[in-house]
Amino acid sequence: GSMILQKGVRVRHLTRGSTYTVEGTLTVQHSGGDRSLDGEVLIVYADETTKRCYGRPASEFEGRFEVIE
């Protein structure tokens, strides 16, 4: 089954061991030359230590992160 990646869910990076909190989703708006990302939905997640936010397609969480309690 696919991971549930809604706001507030905590995940751990399987390689680095760092932990993140899912903040929600965003839809990319890209009107430049390469429009392949335009309309793509990304999961926004924040590093629990640095508070820096990242975005990644939901499909890339599988096998890279695990949900933690």
Side-chain angles (χ1 to χ4, degrees):
S2 61
M3 299 172 72
I4 304 300
L5 297 168
Q6 62 196 26
K7 183 172 173 61
V9 170
R10 297 180 65 222
V11 294
R12 177 184 295 117
H13 193 280
L14 292 174
T15 305
R16 288 191 293 274
S18 41
T19 57
Y20 304 86
T21 302
V22 175
E23 299 294 331
T25 61
L26 65 79
T27 302
V28 175
Q29 290 192 306
H30 190 296
S31 55
D34 177 9
R35 301 181 73 145
S36 61
L37 286 176
D38 192 50
E40 176 130 33
V41 176
L42 303 182
I43 304 295
V44 179
Y45 58 108
D47 185 304
E48 293 186 342
T49 302
T50 67
K51 307 305 181 196
R52 183 172 180 183
C53 288
Y54 300 90
R56 182 185 289 274
S59 59
E60 292 187 12
F61 277 80
E62 215 48 75
R64 220 176 235 129
F65 294 86
E66 64 181 350
V67 174
I68 54 178
E69 297 304 318

